[in-house]
Structure formats: structure tokens, C-alpha cells
Amino acid sequence: MSTTAAVPDKSPVRRRVLTALGAVLVLLLGYCVYAIAHTTVLRTEIEVDATPDEVWKVLADRAAYPEWNPFIVSSTGELTAGAVITNVLRDTNGKETTFTPELVVVEPGRELCWIGRIAPGLVFDGEHSFRIEPLAGGRSKFVQEERFHGIAVPFTVSMLNETIKPQFEAMNRALAARAAG
């Protein structure tokens, strides 16, 4: 009785295809790790002729946003850490987007922060914060910042800088004017 051992396919074409697929997989994995680990930050700030409590009062009065806020044109839901709110944003092109972030920090007179995610997470996540810092003479510094993470973020950096960051600046100016009264 004789047995024959299977001879492995040593086709050079098959090896090249498998090597190419392996290289593509390694590059794709490397890109995903880079994109998830890399943070894109949009940051704006403005000095306000109002106390931190006066600035907070304007920021927390979300029912009045349609009257003055060119960026967040609507915001509803309870301002409590862990709550989910509904925001409607308007970019510089007038396009409105509704999303439902989770509040992670609600400190009256100091900070409001939420996390919004597109898809199951790590695709396009944004941590948006508003910080109010006291300055001398009853003034404040208002800082608006968003830290973006995810595999889709590198493809959107230009759009974020062109259509979203100007809206941060417009909101900052409008908030400063309203708080200064």
C-alpha cells in the first residue's frame, strides 16, 4: 500500500497574490491604528466682558439658541452628565445636521462637554467642550474645542476647518455679545 503526500502549490503567482494581499492588510491595519490614535483638534477662544456665571447663563439657556446662535441652532434635553441631548448644527454652507451626543461634563460656570459618535465608535468620534475661565476684572475666557478621533477623520480635516471651525468662531462672537449684554 502506498501513500502519496500532497505537494504544496508553489505557484509563484499565488505567492505574489498572497504577499500583495498581506501587504494591503498590514497597510490598512496600520492606517486604522494611526487614524484612531491620531487626534484632530479644532480650538477657538474669545475673551468676554462678562463673568463666568453670566457666560454660563447664556450657554445653558439652550431654548434661546435660535435667537442668537449661528452654529448650534437647536439643543434639547436635560443638562446632566450621562444624559443624551439632541443638537442641530449648521455649517457655513447652511447645511444642518442633527446628532445626539452624551453629556460627560456639566459644571455650571466652568464646563460643558459631550461625546458624539458616528456609527459604532472609532469611525468618527468627537468630544466637544465649552470651557469658561475667569479673567481679572469680572471678565471670562470662553474656549470652544472639539477633539476628533476615528478612521474617517483624516478624510474630513479640510471640511472641518472650512465649514465647522468658522462656526465655532461665529458662535463665540455671538455668545460674547449676548453675555456682555
Side-chain angles (χ1 to χ4, degrees):
M1 181 170 201
S2 68
T3 58
T4 57
V7 177
D9 182 12
K10 295 184 179 183
S11 163
V13 172
R14 182 176 180 202
R15 268 185 281 163
R16 284 189 203 120
V17 168
L18 290 175
T19 300
L21 286 174
V24 167
L25 184 60
V26 166
L27 288 172
L28 184 59
L29 183 60
Y31 167 78
C32 289
V33 169
Y34 164 79
I36 291 168
H38 179 75
T39 302
T40 296
V41 179
L42 297 183
R43 184 179 194 281
T44 60
E45 63 182 60
I46 192 168
E47 290 190 9
V48 183
D49 290 325
T51 67
D53 287 337
E54 291 167 330
V55 172
W56 177 263
K57 185 177 177 184
V58 172
L59 184 64
D61 183 8
R62 295 170 307 128
Y65 279 16
E67 298 170 19
W68 66 268
N69 196 331
F71 176 50
I72 304 172
V73 296
S74 173
S75 181
T76 58
E78 189 177 338
L79 279 185
T80 305
V84 174
I85 61 173
T86 300
N87 288 337
V88 178
L89 306 181
R90 182 177 296 142
D91 69 17
T92 55
N93 296 321
K95 180 181 177 217
E96 292 186 0
T97 303
T98 301
F99 74 106
T100 53
E102 177 184 348
L103 293 172
V104 292
V105 178
V106 180
E107 292 182 25
R110 298 191 69 210
E111 183 177 8
L112 177 63
C113 178
W114 64 65
I115 293 182
R117 292 184 169 87
I118 294 178
L122 300 179
V123 174
F124 191 95
D125 299 345
E127 181 177 319
H128 196 108
S129 65
F130 303 100
R131 291 187 308 280
I132 306 164
E133 302 170 7
L135 297 174
R139 299 179 75 235
S140 305
K141 183 192 309 185
F142 181 73
V143 179
Q144 184 172 182
E145 180 177 276
E146 187 145 5
R147 303 176 73 75
F148 296 97
H149 304 274
I151 58 175
V153 172
F155 299 107
T156 65
V157 171
S158 175
M159 178 276 299
L160 292 170
N161 280 308
E162 292 171 12
T163 64
I164 301 301
K165 188 173 183 181
Q167 290 299 80
F168 283 19
E169 293 163 344
M171 178 183 169
N172 292 2
R173 288 189 301 273
L175 180 138
R178 189 165 179 99

